[in-house]
C-alpha cells in the first residue's frame, strides 16, 4: 500500500447514511465527505483513470469528481427503475456496466457526459451482481433466481447455468488471469469453475471444479486477490474468510465482535491487505497473513455496504 505526498491510494466507503466518505487509507482519517441525499449507496467503483467515482443507488447513478472538493455529481442519471446493485468499468474507460433490480444488465457509453445506455441484457429476475471478465469481452450476471448468465459482448451470444436451484447468486468473481470463476449464494455455498477460452463463438467454457460451504449464513461477496492465490468471501455471519485458491483451505478468518454483516471487500494491489465494509458502520483494513486489524475507518452513521479501493499508480 503506497502512501506519501501525492497519495495514489483512493479509498471510498458508502452505505445507508446517504454519504460517501473518502479516507487516507494509511492513517484512517476521513478527508472528504460527499452527500448523496436521494438514497442509500448500493455499489461504488472508480474509473480506470482514477478521476471519477460512480455511486449506484435507488433509481439513479451518480458520478463524482475524485480530485476536487466539488460536492455535486458531474454526471447524474435518473432513468433507472428500482435499485442499481452493481457498477464497474471497462479497462480503457470507454464504457460502464451496471446491474439492477429491474432485471437488466446495462452498458453505458461514457464518452458523452449524458450517460447513454448502449446495450441492455434482460433476465427474468432481479440482478444482484455483474462482473467483467479480464478479457473485457464477457459479462457475468448473477440473479436472484439462482442463474449466472454469461454474455459474450462481441457475438451477443449468451449462456446460463444454475449452480443451485432457488439459491440467489449474490456475487461472482473472476481471477485476474481469467482462469478461475467463483460464485456465492444466499445459502452460504461457494462454487468454483476453471475457465478456458471458447473455441467457437461465445463466452468462455466453464468446467466445475469445487463446491463448498464457505459460511453458515448468507454470503454477500466473493473476490479473488490480484495475485490470484486467494479468494475472499464475506458473510452475514460477521466474518470475512480468505481461502487459498490452490486447495481451498482456509487461510485466515477476519472477525471482530462488533462487525455484524460484512458486505464488501477489496484487496490491496500486493494482495497483502484487505479492506472490509460492515453493518457496524465501520470499514477495516486487515493483514491477510495474520488476520489482524491494521486500521479502522469510523464515521458513518449507518451500515457501510460498499467500498471502492485503488492503490496502484496510474500513469
Amino acid at each position: 500500500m503506497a502512501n506519501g505526498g501525492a497519495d495514489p491510494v483512493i479509498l471510498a466507503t458508502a452505505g445507508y447514511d446517504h454519504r460517501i466518505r473518502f479516507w487516507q487509507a494509511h492513517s484512517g482519517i476521513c478527508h472528504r465527505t460527499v452527500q448523496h441525499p436521494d438514497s442509500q449507496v448500493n455499489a461504488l467503483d472508480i474509473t480506470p483513470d482514477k478521476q471519477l467515482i460512480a455511486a449506484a443507488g435507488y433509481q439513479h447513478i451518480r458520478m463524482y469528481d475524485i480530485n476536487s472538493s466539488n460536492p455535486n455529481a458531474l454526471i447524474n442519471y435518473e432513468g433507472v427503475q428500482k435499485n442499481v446493485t452493481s457498477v464497474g468499468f471497462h479497462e480503457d474507460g470507454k464504457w460502464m456496466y451496471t446491474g439492477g433490480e429491474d432485471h437488466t444488465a446495462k452498458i453505458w457509453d461514457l464518452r458523452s457526459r449524458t450517460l447513454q445506455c448502449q446495450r441492455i441484457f434482460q433476465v427474468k429476475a432481479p440482478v444482484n451482481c455483474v462482473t467483467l471478465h479480464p478479457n473485457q469481452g464477457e459479462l457475468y450476471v448473477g440473479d436472484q433466481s439462482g442463474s449466472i448468465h454469461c454474455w459474450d459482448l462481441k457475438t451477443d451470444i449468451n449462456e446460463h447455468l444454475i449452480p443451485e436451484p432457488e439459491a440467489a447468486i449474490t456475487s461472482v468473481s473472476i481471477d485476474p488471469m481469467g482462469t478461475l470463476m467463483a460464485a456465492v449464494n444466499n445459502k452460504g455455498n461457494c462454487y468454483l469453475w476453471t475457465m478456458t477460452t471458447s473455441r467457437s463463438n461465445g463466452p468462455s467454457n466453464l468446467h466445475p471444479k469445487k463446491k463448498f460451504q464457505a459460511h453458515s449464513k448468507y454470503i454477500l461477496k466473493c473476490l479473488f486477490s490480484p495475485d490470484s492465490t486467494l479468494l475472499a468471501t464475506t458473510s452475514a455471519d460477521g466474518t470475512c474468510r480468505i481461502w487459498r485458491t490452490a486447495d481451498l483451505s482456509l487461510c485466515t478468518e477476519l472477525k471482530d465482535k462488533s462487525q455484524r454483516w460484512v458486505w464488501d471487500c477489496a484487496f490491496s494491489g500486493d494482495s497483502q491487505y484487505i479492506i472490509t465494509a460492515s453493518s457496524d458502520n465501520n470499514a477495516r483494513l486487515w493483514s491477510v497473513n495474520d488476520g489482524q486489524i491494521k486500521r479502522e475507518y469510523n464515521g458513518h452513521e449507518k451500515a457501510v455496504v460498499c467500498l471502492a479501493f485503488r492503490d496502484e499508480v496510474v500513469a
Side-chain angles (χ1 to χ4, degrees), residues 90-103:
H90 186 268
E91 66 181 2
D92 66 8
K94 287 180 183 172
W95 48 264
M96 175 177 74
Y97 60 88
T98 60
E101 290 178 351
D102 63 354
H103 299 199

Side-chain angles (χ1 to χ4, degrees), residues 23 42 59 62 81 86 99 112 117 120 142 181 196-197 208 220 240 246 250 306 309:
W23 307 86
N42 301 316
Q59 297 188 331
R62 308 246 190 282
Q81 293 183 335
S86 192
S112 74
C117 182
I120 298 177
M181 184 175 88
T196 55
T197 305
L220 293 143
C240 172
L250 184 62
C306 56
F309 180 58

Side-chain angles (χ1 to χ4, degrees), residues 22-301:
F22 292 86
W23 307 86
Q24 289 180 341
H26 57 282
S27 71
I29 294 169
C30 177
H31 63 83
R32 181 183 174 203
T33 302
V34 173
Q35 302 296 324
H36 187 268
D38 299 332
S39 84
Q40 81 282 356
V41 181
N42 301 316
L44 290 171
D45 201 18
I46 296 163
T47 54
D49 62 6
K50 297 170 84 166
Q51 298 300 306
L52 300 174
I53 189 165
Y58 178 69
Q59 297 188 331
H60 65 255
I61 303 156
R62 308 246 190 282
M63 297 181 75
Y64 299 91
D65 189 355
I66 289 173
N67 302 303
S68 80
S69 57
N70 182 0
N72 301 311
L74 296 184
I75 299 172
N76 200 338
Y77 189 79
E78 304 280 354
V80 189
Q81 293 183 335
K82 304 184 180 178
N83 275 303
V84 182
T85 55
S86 192
V87 62
F89 295 96
H90 186 268
E91 66 181 2
D92 66 8
K94 287 180 183 172
W95 48 264
M96 175 177 74
Y97 60 88
T98 60
E101 290 178 351
D102 63 354
H103 299 199
T104 68
K106 294 185 172 86
I107 290 177
W108 306 83
D109 188 349
L110 292 179
R111 288 170 291 193
S112 74
R113 280 290 165 104
T114 54
L115 263 198
Q116 298 292 324
C117 182
Q118 279 185 315
R119 299 171 75 177
I120 298 177
F121 181 67
Q122 188 83 36
V123 299
K124 294 178 180 176
V127 170
N128 292 329
C129 57
V130 183
T131 301
L132 180 62
H133 191 291
N135 67 18
Q136 306 297 300
E138 301 168 31
L139 279 180
Y140 289 76
V141 179
D143 74 26
Q144 193 66 25
S145 74
S147 289
I148 301 170
H149 306 267
C150 317
W151 180 21
D152 185 275
L153 301 176
K154 188 176 179 183
T155 62
D156 214 30
I157 293 170
N158 70 84
E159 298 169 359
H160 83 279
L161 65 152
I162 302 173
E164 189 174 340
E166 299 179 23
I169 299 294
T170 51
S171 182
V172 174
S173 182
I174 298 170
D175 84 298
M177 295 189 296
T179 58
L180 286 173
M181 184 175 88
V184 291
N185 67 25
N186 63 348
K187 309 282 192 191
N189 292 323
C190 179
Y191 290 81
L192 219 62
W193 295 262
T194 55
M195 305 184 85
T196 55
T197 305
S198 174
R199 290 182 180 174
S200 58
N201 288 334
S204 297
N205 296 316
L206 295 171
H207 313 278
K209 178 179 169 72
K210 178 94 172 174
K211 171 202 172 182
F212 68 104
Q213 185 163 19
H215 296 266
S216 60
K217 294 182 179 177
Y218 202 114
I219 303 179
L220 293 143
K221 173 89 171 189
C222 63
L223 183 68
F224 284 102
S225 61
D227 66 6
S228 300
T229 65
L230 302 170
L231 173 68
T233 55
T234 75
S235 171
D237 68 7
T239 70
C240 172
R241 291 178 179 163
I242 299 175
W243 312 85
R244 298 177 185 91
T245 54
D247 59 4
L248 293 175
S249 61
L250 184 62
C251 171
T252 327
E253 182 179 74
L254 309 178
K255 195 171 184 177
D256 183 85
K257 61 181 182 294
S258 66
Q259 202 162 232
R260 310 215 302 269
W261 287 42
V262 185
W263 288 85
D264 200 1
C265 65
F267 282 98
S268 60
D270 61 8
S271 304
Q272 299 296 308
Y273 298 91
I274 191 168
I275 298 177
T276 58
S278 73
S279 287
D280 68 352
N281 309 353
N282 293 320
R284 292 175 177 85
L285 172 70
W286 310 74
S287 165
V288 167
N289 288 333
D290 61 17
Q292 297 297 306
I293 297 171
K294 299 298 184 184
R295 197 70 67 232
E296 293 197 67
Y297 307 98
N298 307 311
H300 284 284
E301 294 169 16

